[in-house]
């Protein structure tokens, strides 16, 4: 199987304030829930519409296709179908993306990136500090109907690469390690009360239900399960024979290694990323759905361009070697609106144009 | 002198409906004047702000710089300084552009693209079917103060390549030939009454006044005069010795040649473009401020990609040869939001990515 390489279309239909702070102007919102509820009806419609019309267009697909990018991971919010007012639906933008993918010979991974009351409490989970999705059966049922509707609408499209059931459902361990309530403070403590990491027992059941309901309407669609920051817990479960045509998504951000010298990063990439992928790929197909070159080295900003290029290219080459066992990878992310050179590596176009990535074969 | 090659940042701060029709949603406006006046205050602010924040960003400069693009022609509206309500000023976006140009080693040509009551009656002149700028001294004086303020703010910036006094002041001949009142119907016939091509006598005086007032605040700034579709009338006038450090802008759209076979286009490009530039360059430095590959050949849309690439590359190569006498050229335009393959050549990124242009040396 040829590895599919790609990028995420981040901050298009699921907003993250740090990626384009100007979209949060005039509010004190830190996440899309409070932004949406903090804007009047006219502002909300104008702001989201112009943003969505502009952030990703067919010309972006033209650029990516010419660079060997074949896969687009597309974060989708739970209100995609427009039935959760005052959120504005965005399914017509998914339609556009499929049209562009058809024109440029690319594939799309639909990624349910948020759910009601969140699966991780991150800003990119839709509402900071809240993680109670799994505690409310009505939320769970709603998410399942969204997946069903996505499967019904796109399941037979040749451009569909897969449907990812849920992005980054946080583990109890990671909830504690990151101290999510402190890192992403909840606006309303009462709303956040009872928030916790998503238990594996719940998640296994949810994945099973999601798989069955997607399969029922889209027999040929690949189903993708995020590892939920607990890869080994899926060994023996997802590969039990119950599931067919699926993959497991794991996110590999080198910045999580903390401050190291270059050799330290190369060691981390080879061991933590490479060994994990080699092991997991013995159990099921694995996708690296998010990664980026940022090592959070303050020294990089002051380096001469050539030196920074060599450094980042070395980090990139190590990633690509470690990712060899993966069936696909998608960089985070296509586009950023922050003019800080130390964040260039979060923007795929800037990353490519600066020569940080080796040429991609596709 | 090394030729500067570049692109226009069209439809960023001066809107043209055909380039991004979605920005005109909910109105029946055909131009920016009626769009601005047709939107309520909240919609206007949201729509223009999100558009301007998104249409051009630093990452676009990164892409262009890596392709050898050194010059950005930046259309500026007369309300740039925010003193013509309800139009929203946009000088902070010029500031951003200069910052990006500094980072990426590029130069900017500020191009006053609209004036009150228009200099051409085109949609891109701000208000369709109206051409009465030159008839009202207060409009003329206002335009001069805009040029002065641009010169004062940017005249000493090393990134400034020049200040273009006025884009495409239409000649009486072209006004008649294009039948502007029919091609761009005025919404309000009373407002358009008396519209006409801009007389050369007026234009020569305006250019002289503009030159003096820019020079007074920006002694080192290059001043650019559009030929107003009457190149030969400037021979002996602009090169009389009165003007220093200036250039003349001429626009060369091959589609104006009408329907021809490939050899016919090549002949037209060599003769009409090449000979004009060779002759005019004997008199003063000439810039081709707008051009694009579109030949309006219906057959192109149905051609195999390779064949279309060869055709367009041939047309492009002929342009670049004809443009050799020019001190600079800037393609129209960086970005378009229309998904019609036959319009790909109006989008510089798509044009480059499709291989229609030969590699640019810069």
């Amino acid at each position: 199987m040829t590895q599919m390489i790609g990028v995420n279309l981040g901050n298009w239909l699921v907003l993250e304030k740090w990626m384009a702070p100007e979209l949060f102007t005039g509010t004190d919102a830190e996440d899309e829930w409070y932004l949406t509820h903090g804007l009047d009806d006219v502002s909300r419609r104008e702001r989201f519409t112009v943003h969505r019309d502009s952030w990703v267009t067919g010309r972006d697909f033209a650029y990516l296709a010419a660079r060997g990018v074949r896969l687009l991971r597309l974060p989708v919010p739970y209100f995609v179908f427009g039935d959760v007012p005052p959120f504005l639906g965005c399914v017509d933008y998914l339609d556009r993306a499929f049209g562009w993918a058809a024109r440029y010979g690319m594939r799309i991974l639909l990624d349910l990136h948020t759910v009601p009351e969140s699966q991780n409490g991150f800003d990119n989970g839709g509402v900071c500090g809240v993680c109670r999705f799994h505690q409310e059966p009505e939320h769970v049922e709603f998410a399942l109907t969204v997946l069903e509707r996505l499967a019904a609408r796109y399941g037979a499209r040749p451009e569909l690469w897969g449907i990812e059931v849920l992005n980054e459902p946080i583990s109890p361990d990671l909830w504690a390690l990151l101290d999510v309530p402190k890192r992403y403070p909840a606006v309303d403590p009462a709303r956040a009360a009872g928030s916790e990491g998503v238990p594996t027992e719940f998640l296994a059941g949810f994945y099973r239900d999601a798989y069955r309901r997607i399969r029922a309407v889209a027999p040929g669609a690949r189903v993708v399960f995020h590892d939920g920051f607990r890869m080994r817990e899926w060994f023996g479960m997802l590969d039990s024979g119950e599931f067919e045509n699926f993959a497991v998504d794991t996110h590999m951000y080198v910045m999580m290694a903390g401050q190291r010298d270059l050799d330290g990063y190369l060691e981390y990439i080879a061991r933590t990323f490479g060994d994990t992928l080699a092991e997991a790929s013995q159990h099921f197909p694995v996708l690296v759905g998010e990664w980026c070159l940022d090592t959070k080295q303050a020294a990089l900003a002051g380096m001469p361009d050539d030196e920074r290029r060599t450094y980042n290219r070395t980090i990139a080459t190590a990633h690509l070697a470690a990712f060899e066992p993966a069936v696909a990878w998608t960089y985070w992310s296509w586009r950023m609106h922050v003019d800080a050179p130390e964040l260039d590596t979060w923007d795929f176009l800037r990353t490519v144009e600066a020569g940080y990535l080796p040429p991609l074969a596709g």
Side-chain angles (χ1 to χ4, degrees), chain A:
Chain A
M1 184 180 194
T2 306
Q3 188 182 52
M4 295 283 281
I5 64 176
V7 301
N8 283 272
L9 300 179
N11 200 56
W12 185 25
L13 306 178
V14 176
L15 299 187
E16 303 188 24
K17 185 174 182 177
W18 72 287
M19 295 177 73
E22 74 269 13
L23 291 170
F24 286 70
T25 302
T27 77
D28 55 5
E30 295 296 330
D31 59 46
E32 188 163 2
W33 199 96
Y34 284 98
L35 174 65
T36 298
H37 287 78
L39 295 173
D40 64 81
D41 287 350
V42 174
S43 295
R44 184 188 310 115
R45 182 160 295 280
E46 289 286 347
R47 193 174 298 193
F48 278 85
T49 301
V50 180
H51 163 72
R52 291 168 174 178
D53 284 346
S54 183
W55 188 265
V56 173
T57 70
R59 65 202 294 277
D60 303 314
F61 282 59
Y63 175 89
L64 291 165
R67 303 244 141 20
V69 166
R70 298 277 319 285
L71 179 60
L72 299 161
R73 184 169 179 265
L74 175 41
V76 174
Y78 64 89
F79 50 80
V80 55
F81 290 103
D83 52 356
V84 190
F87 290 104
L88 299 168
C90 51
V91 71
D92 44 330
Y93 295 92
L94 300 191
D95 290 347
R96 289 188 197 183
F98 275 87
W100 295 324
R103 179 173 173 195
Y104 290 104
M106 299 164 84
R107 308 282 297 278
I108 290 176
L109 170 57
L110 296 172
D111 148 44
L112 186 63
H113 212 76
T114 66
V115 283
E117 300 310 282
S118 192
Q119 75 281 21
N120 53 36
F122 303 157
D123 57 344
N124 62 60
V127 54
C128 290
V130 177
C131 187
R132 303 205 305 107
F133 162 72
H134 57 287
Q135 297 169 352
E136 291 290 341
E138 66 182 307
H139 297 336
V140 175
E141 177 57 27
F142 185 81
L144 291 169
T145 71
V146 173
L147 293 167
E148 274 178 330
R149 284 178 280 174
L150 290 173
R153 193 177 183 103
Y154 303 109
R157 292 286 298 247
E159 300 84 17
L160 183 74
W161 190 83
I163 298 175
E164 183 160 354
V165 166
L166 185 58
N167 179 66
E168 293 192 350
I170 195 167
S171 64
D173 284 353
L174 190 61
W175 178 267
L177 182 71
L178 293 181
D179 196 356
V180 172
K182 192 167 173 189
R183 188 180 291 231
Y184 299 101
V187 171
D188 177 359
R191 183 176 177 185
S195 289
E196 59 177 351
V198 180
T200 301
E201 187 179 348
F202 165 83
L203 198 55
F206 178 68
Y207 280 180
R208 183 170 288 114
D209 291 343
Y211 176 84
R212 288 179 183 155
R213 291 180 56 173
I214 291 169
R215 269 288 158 276
V217 288
R222 180 187 284 103
V223 177
V224 177
F225 304 107
H226 190 273
D227 71 358
F229 310 102
R230 64 196 94 178
M231 176 64 88
R232 285 196 174 78
E233 298 192 38
W234 305 110
F235 299 167
M237 192 179 328
L238 289 174
D239 55 348
S240 65
E242 180 181 352
F243 304 97
E244 292 181 353
N245 192 16
F246 73 103
V248 174
D249 178 14
T250 190
H251 295 175
M252 295 184 154
Y253 285 109
V254 66
M255 66 175 175
M256 300 298 282
Q259 294 291 313
R260 301 178 176 223
D261 63 14
L262 181 57
D263 282 344
Y265 285 120
L266 299 181
E267 170 76 11
Y268 181 87
I269 293 163
R271 295 286 76 76
T272 305
F273 295 169
D275 291 355
T276 298
L277 289 170
E279 181 188 11
S281 295
Q282 303 291 323
H283 294 270
F284 31 62
V286 180
L287 151 82
V288 183
E290 295 186 19
W291 69 287
C292 115
L293 295 178
D294 189 12
T295 45
K296 301 233 176 286
Q297 296 295 298
L300 279 175
M303 269 186 199
D305 286 353
D306 280 358
E307 201 177 322
R308 187 171 51 242
R309 182 179 300 112
T310 301
Y311 178 93
N312 281 326
R313 180 75 79 102
T314 304
I315 297 278
T317 303
H319 276 87
L320 299 191
F323 291 175
E324 272 176 22
V327 295
W329 56 256
T330 46
Y331 200 85
W332 189 277
S333 182
W334 164 236
R335 184 168 182 173
M336 278 267 291
H337 275 199
V338 180
D339 275 303
E342 68 273 20
L343 293 178
D344 277 0
T345 47
W346 291 91
D347 183 308
F348 187 76
L349 182 141
R350 291 198 196 250
T351 299
V352 169
E353 295 300 322
Y356 296 160
L357 284 175
L360 305 170

